[in-house]
Structures are given as structure tokens and as C-alpha cells.
């Protein structure tokens, strides 16, 4: 007898409950401003403004507006949940619909982040409409349906010994990633290059909501060995910089307050901004460099 995978989704409404070992990577729902982005609200506003007699009769106008908002709430609203294995769309009324990420083909994703819409064609066809985080949802779907993520991550963090901090290289803002064996700098404005360094140049350009910090956070779902390999690749792809532990000074040099300069044997190094949590993790890693 073959046991069914806990992530298999044979029917739209079957087993839509999240499993204990299935962390949610991203979820989102509608907010009031998504109603304003709905074309139906634009048509209503246009009709109200172009028919003068409606402006003098607020009662029917308010009634029609309320009915339109109710229709939008019943027909288009819902909630999505994304895990490393599947996307679940839960409309306000009706059966949940879900799609396995490994069933999405190369051309199976399309998104209009400004409209809050993402359309997915895989084991099922799902259209997530008028929701927040649509750009981030499209980016994470693209990320997790491809290698090295597809089939290798379960949504739990596997890289624990790492410090991720805001940083500057001269005047260039970016993200510092400190590991026991190295320190890396990724430019903040090169998130698309980091994204393509992870999943390949054939992937569409991600939305601005897919930041370098978010991508590093997703990389922590990989194994430690895979994280280190991919970090070197995205540093190269983004024009960042990487210093091995034996190149670094034994400890960060304070500049002012919580700002520290971390220098290597070559180049100007980078300045880090530490908070309480970041300082503790950074100190622990730096001590490993000096050992």
C-alpha cells in the first residue's frame, strides 16, 4: 500500500488544514484600500460623478455603494497561506482551493502586484485577487517552485549560526551576512540580481517587495552547506563582496553608538548597525573567527 503524501491535494477542498510540520511562510488578506483598486469601484465612482442627479440624492447613492461593497466582500475577498509545499486560497465563502508548488510549470505564474492579483496554474488553477503582499507572494512562489528550494525545504529554519544586519560599504546601503567562516555584503538595491542568482536568469524580475533581507531569510531554510554555496553565488551575481574569516580583523571596531566597522585584508570593509540581538549573534561569530 502506498501512503499519500501529507501535502498531496487531490481535490479543491480536501485536507486544507495546515499540518503541524508545515510552517506558513506568508499569508495575506484584503484591506480597505484593495476595494478602491477593484475596477467595479471605479465604474461606480465614474457613474456617480457623471450623473448629476445622483449627487443630490445621497440615500440611493449610499445604498448602491453599500451593495457594491457587499458584492465585493462576498465574491472577491479571502485569505491566502503559503507554505514551502503548497498555496491555499480560502475565499470568504466556498471551498478552499490549493495548489502544490511542484506542479506549477514554467509559465504557470502571472502577477499584477499593483492590483493585488496573482494567478497560479498547476495541479489546480488559483487566482488570488485584491490582497496585500501580492508582489511578495509572487516572488516566494517563484522561489519555492524552483531549485534549490523545491523538494529540499520544509519551511523550518536550518541555518541558525548567522547574523544578518543592515550595513554600508562606503556609502552603498546593503545587508551584511556573518557566518563562522566568512562575512558577506549584499547591495540593498540588487535584490533582483540576488533573486536570479538563486533561481536562474530565466525567472521573471521580482517585485520591489522581494528584498535582499527577505531572500536571505528564505535561504536560511536551506541546509547549511547549501546556504554557504548559494551565498557565494549571490555575492558574485549582485556585485557584493565576501571576506573569509582569516582575512577579517579579530573584532569589529566601534565607529559611533551601535555602528561598527568590520574590515578585511582588502578593500574598505563595511559598517554594521547592531541591535541587542544582532550584537549578541555578531559577537559569537566574531569570536569563532578569532579562535
Amino acid at each position: 500500500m502506498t501512503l499519500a503524501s501529507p501535502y498531496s491535494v487531490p481535490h479543491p477542498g480536501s485536507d486544507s488544514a495546515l499540518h503541524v510540520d508545515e510552517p506558513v511562510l506568508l499569508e495575506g488578506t484584503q484591506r480597505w484600500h484593495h476595494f478602491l483598486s477593484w475596477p467595479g469601484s471605479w465604474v461606480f465612482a465614474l457613474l456617480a460623478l457623471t450623473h448629476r442627479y445622483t449627487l443630490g440624492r445621497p440615500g440611493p447613492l449610499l445604498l448602491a455603494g453599500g451593495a457594491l461593497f457587499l458584492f465585493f466582500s462576498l465574491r472577491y475577498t479571502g485569505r491566502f497561506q503559503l507554505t514551502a509545499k503548497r498555496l491555499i486560497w480560502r475565499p470568504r465563502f466556498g471551498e478552499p482551493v490549493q495548489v502544490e508548488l511542484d506542479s506549477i510549470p514554467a509559465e504557470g505564474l502571472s502577477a499584477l502586484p499593483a492590483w493585488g492579483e496573482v494567478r497560479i496554474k498547476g495541479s489546480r488553477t488559483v487566482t488570488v485577487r485584491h490582497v496585500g503582499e501580492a508582489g511578495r507572494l509572487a516572488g516566494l512562489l517563484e522561489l519555492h517552485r524552483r531549485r534549490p528550494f523545491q523538494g529540499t525545504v520544509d519551511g523550518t529554519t536550518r541555518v541558525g549560526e548567522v547574523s544578518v544586519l543592515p550595513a554600508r560599504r562606503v556609502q552603498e546601503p546593503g545587508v551584511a551576512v556573518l557566518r563562522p567562516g566568512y562575512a558577506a555584503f549584499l547591495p540593498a538595491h540588487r535584490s533582483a540580481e540576488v533573486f536570479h542568482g538563486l533561481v536562474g536568469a530565466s525567472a521573471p524580475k521580482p517585485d520591489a517587495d522581494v528584498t535582499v533581507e527577505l531572500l536571505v531569510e528564505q535561504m536560511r531554510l536551506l541546509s547549511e552547506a547549501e546556504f554557504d554555496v548559494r551565498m557565494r553565488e549571490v555575492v558574485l551575481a549582485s556585485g557584493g563582496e565576501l571576506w573569509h574569516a582569516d582575512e577579517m580583523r579579530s573584532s569589529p571596531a566601534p565607529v559611533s553608538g551601535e555602528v561598527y566597522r568590520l574590515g578585511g585584508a582588502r578593500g574598505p570593509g563595511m559598517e554594521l548597525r547592531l541591535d541587542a540581538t544582532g550584537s549578541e549573534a555578531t559577537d559569537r561569530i566574531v569570536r569563532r573567527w578569532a579562535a
Side-chain angles (χ1 to χ4, degrees):
M1 182 177 67
T2 302
L3 295 178
S5 164
Y7 300 111
S8 61
V9 190
H11 301 293
S14 65
D15 194 23
S16 63
L18 292 169
H19 303 289
V20 176
D21 58 348
E22 190 178 14
V24 174
L25 302 178
L26 185 69
E27 58 186 344
T29 186
Q30 285 80 12
R31 298 183 178 88
W32 67 269
H33 65 270
H34 294 112
F35 174 68
L36 301 180
S37 71
W38 180 48
S41 65
W42 299 357
V43 173
F44 173 76
L46 182 62
L47 291 175
L49 292 174
T50 55
H51 291 74
R52 294 182 179 179
Y53 70 90
T54 61
L55 300 178
R57 304 172 62 187
L61 187 65
L62 292 174
L63 184 63
L68 190 69
F69 183 77
L70 180 62
F71 173 77
F72 171 81
S73 299
L74 297 179
R75 176 68 178 83
Y76 292 110
T77 58
R79 176 189 179 199
F80 74 80
Q81 293 175 305
L82 175 67
T83 74
K85 302 295 181 182
R86 58 179 174 162
L87 173 75
I88 306 170
W89 169 243
R90 305 178 188 275
R92 187 176 295 272
F93 291 96
E95 290 282 342
V97 183
Q98 40 194 335
V99 58
E100 296 175 358
L101 302 193
D102 61 7
S103 73
I104 303 174
E107 303 300 325
L109 280 175
S110 59
L112 294 170
W115 294 66
E117 181 171 304
V118 181
R119 184 175 179 82
I120 308 102
K121 293 182 179 179
S123 56
R124 303 289 303 180
T125 296
V126 179
T127 302
V128 177
R129 295 186 174 94
H130 307 292
V131 293
E133 306 278 13
R136 185 167 291 196
L137 172 62
L140 292 187
L141 280 168
E142 194 69 58
L143 196 72
H144 284 277
R145 76 177 186 88
R146 293 173 179 260
R147 296 289 182 179
F149 294 89
Q150 185 191 79
T152 63
V153 303
D154 60 8
T156 57
T157 298
R158 299 167 68 186
V159 180
E161 198 164 13
V162 62
S163 180
V164 182
L165 302 163
R168 282 185 176 273
R169 182 177 60 179
V170 190
Q171 294 301 314
E172 182 180 25
V175 175
V177 180
L178 311 185
R179 288 275 288 149
Y182 61 87
F185 174 86
L186 300 172
H189 64 286
R190 294 293 185 87
S191 57
E193 287 81 0
V194 173
F195 183 81
H196 289 139
L198 284 172
V199 298
S202 62
K205 183 178 179 180
D207 188 71
D209 286 345
V210 180
T211 62
V212 172
E213 291 90 337
L214 176 65
L215 293 171
V216 174
E217 178 185 335
Q218 297 304 304
M219 288 172 64
R220 293 182 64 188
L221 305 178
L222 300 167
S223 68
E224 292 205 355
E226 188 72 30
F227 178 93
D228 292 336
V229 168
R230 298 294 173 173
M231 181 57 63
R232 286 163 172 78
E233 292 178 352
V234 298
V235 165
L236 182 63
S238 65
E241 197 162 358
L242 186 144
W243 301 270
H244 293 286
D246 57 6
E247 297 180 71
M248 306 300 293
R249 287 202 299 262
S250 60
S251 62
V255 177
S256 63
E258 296 300 321
V259 177
Y260 286 79
R261 180 174 291 116
L262 201 61
R266 50 186 168 78
M270 56 183 170
E271 290 185 355
L272 314 177
R273 183 171 295 277
L274 308 183
D275 55 21
T277 305
S279 179
E280 180 181 348
T282 300
D283 287 345
R284 186 168 59 250
I285 291 171
V286 168
R287 284 197 298 269
R288 291 280 300 273
W289 293 346

